[in-house]
Amino acid sequence: MENKVQNITVVGAGQMGHQIAMLSALGGYTTNLVDVSANALIQAEKKLKDIMNKWVAKGKIPEDRMLSAFSRLSFSTELEKVIPDSEFIIEAIVEKLEAKRSLFNRLDKLAPPHAILASNSSTIVNSLIASVTNRKDKVVNMHFFYPPLVMDCVEVVKSEETSEETAQMTLDICKRMNRTGILLHKEISGFIANRILGALHKEAMYLYENGYASFEDIDLICRKALRHPIGPFELMDLSGIDVGYYVMEQRYRETGDESDKPFKSFIEKMEAGELGRKTGKGFYQYRENGVRV
C-alpha cells in the first residue's frame, strides 16, 4: 500500500515544514517543499544544509545519503505546478482553522483524486478541515513534534470518515521516514501529547501569574524534581509563544470555556513580539544561535 506513494509535497516552510520535508527526502520520497515566500524557502534550504552537514560531521549519516536526499528535495512557490503530481500532501502552515480550510479547499481542487491530504496541526481535528473537501475519507492528521528531525513520534488521527487505508498509508509513510507513528482511532482536540502537556502548562502558568514562584524556579523544579529535560516555560519559548497562543485561541473557539483562553502572559508577549527563541526573547532571552543569555 505504502509503495503507491512516491511523490510527497509539504506545504509551509516554517519551523516544522522544512524538517518534515527533509524526513520525507531521507525516506526516499521525491519531495516538494512549497511556500508562498521565496525567502522562507531560501532560509529553509540554508537551515537544512546546516543541520545535515552537522549530521555528516558527527557520523549520524554518510555524506552520500545526505546528497541523495537533497537530490530528491525541491523548493517551490508555485503550488499549482507541484500538487497535480503529488500522491501525499502534508500541510504545515499557521495554526489557524480558516487558513487551513482555505488551503485544503484549494488542495482538493489541485490534487489527483487518489491523493491523501494530511494536516500537521498540533490541535485541530481533521474533520473540521475535511468538510471543505470532496475526499473526507482521504484526510488525516499527521502531527509531528518539534523539532521533527529529532523527535521520534507522529500522532496519526482518524476522524469518523477517514478510511482505514488512509490511516495505514500514513503509518507506513511514518515508518519509512524512520518515525514512530501512533494511531488515534477517535478525534479529540489537542490529541494526546498536547492535551497532557497543555494541562502542565496551564498549571505552571497559573502558579507563575499568581505569584507563587518565578517562571525560572518553576522550570527548575520541573527539571530537578520531575526529571523533565526542560521546564514548561523553556518549552513554550522553544515551540513559539505564537504557536501556543493560536492553539489556545482555537481551543477556546471550540469549547467556549474561559479557562481555555490564551494566557495573559501569552497576550502580553504577542503584543510585544516576544515569541521565544525565534525572536531572541520570550520568557528568557537568547543569543542568535538560540543559546540562552
Side-chain angles (χ1 to χ4, degrees):
M1 184 185 299
E2 174 255 351
N3 289 333
K4 292 180 183 176
V5 175
Q6 297 180 1
N7 190 312
I8 291 178
T9 293
V10 180
V11 184
Q15 64 178 5
M16 296 294 290
H18 72 287
Q19 294 199 17
I20 295 170
M22 194 73 240
L23 285 174
S24 174
L26 286 166
Y29 296 105
T30 299
T31 306
N32 309 291
L33 179 60
V34 180
D35 199 284
V36 293
S37 167
N39 185 60
L41 292 169
I42 291 169
Q43 293 303 312
E45 185 172 11
K46 180 180 181 299
K47 288 175 185 175
L48 288 176
K49 285 182 176 177
D50 287 346
I51 293 169
M52 300 315 295
N53 281 324
K54 287 176 183 175
W55 278 24
V56 170
K58 292 177 179 178
K60 291 182 72 173
I61 62 168
E63 186 176 20
D64 60 347
R65 187 179 171 212
M66 176 191 74
L67 295 174
S68 179
F70 274 112
S71 74
R72 290 187 289 270
L73 179 59
S74 62
F75 302 82
S76 177
T77 57
E78 299 179 283
L79 198 68
E80 297 83 358
K81 286 192 176 180
V82 301
I83 294 300
D85 295 323
S86 300
E87 294 130 341
F88 197 96
I89 300 151
I90 304 171
E91 165 272 312
I93 66 169
V94 66
E95 194 71 356
K96 293 184 178 181
L97 177 59
E98 288 313 310
K100 293 182 188 294
R101 284 170 61 86
S102 176
L103 175 61
F104 269 69
N105 180 257
R106 193 175 170 203
L107 293 174
D108 185 49
K109 293 170 181 173
L110 293 171
H114 62 278
I116 290 172
L117 308 181
S119 174
N120 179 55
S121 173
S122 59
T123 187
I124 300 171
V125 295
N126 74 75
S127 60
L128 293 177
I129 306 169
S131 60
V132 300
T133 76
N134 292 307
R135 61 180 86 200
K136 295 177 185 176
D137 62 316
K138 292 182 174 64
V139 179
V140 67
N141 286 99
M142 188 183 193
H143 175 219
F144 292 80
F145 290 83
Y146 182 77
L149 283 167
V150 175
M151 300 296 285
D152 176 26
C153 186
V154 181
E155 291 176 320
V156 176
V157 189
K158 285 180 59 184
S159 71
E160 290 184 357
E161 297 187 83
T162 304
S163 71
E164 292 291 342
E165 182 180 10
T166 294
Q168 187 57 55
M169 192 172 292
T170 306
L171 290 168
D172 289 342
I173 289 171
C174 289
K175 186 175 181 180
R176 191 159 151 187
M177 288 183 178
N178 196 31
R179 287 296 171 267
T180 302
I182 302 168
L183 181 63
L184 279 64
H185 296 274
K186 289 172 63 177
E187 289 188 321
I188 185 167
S189 177
F191 318 136
I192 302 299
N194 279 343
R195 289 184 71 87
I196 294 171
L197 193 60
L200 172 67
H201 285 182
K202 189 174 285 189
E203 185 62 24
M205 192 65 79
Y206 173 84
L207 295 168
Y208 164 61
E209 291 186 346
N210 286 278
Y212 292 99
S214 68
F215 64 83
E216 296 97 335
D217 284 345
I218 293 170
D219 278 351
L220 185 61
I221 289 167
C222 287
R223 291 197 309 272
K224 296 292 186 180
L226 304 180
R227 293 290 186 93
H228 291 186
I230 63 174
F233 294 92
E234 292 171 304
L235 185 54
M236 291 179 217
D237 274 1
L238 176 63
S239 301
I241 303 298
D242 53 334
V243 174
Y245 175 87
Y246 292 134
V247 165
M248 296 192 75
E249 192 178 52
Q250 175 61 34
R251 180 75 63 83
Y252 174 63
R253 284 202 194 104
E254 291 178 25
T255 67
D257 185 338
E258 292 287 315
S259 70
D260 287 332
K261 278 186 172 182
F263 304 128
K264 177 185 173 184
S265 295
F266 274 9
I267 296 170
E268 291 172 352
K269 291 195 176 297
M270 286 287 287
E271 290 173 350
E274 298 172 356
L275 308 182
R277 288 195 191 187
K278 59 189 170 186
T279 60
K281 186 176 181 182
F283 288 97
Y284 297 91
Q285 288 192 323
Y286 302 88
R287 299 188 182 94
E288 280 189 20
N289 59 3
V291 175
R292 261 194 13 220
V293 174

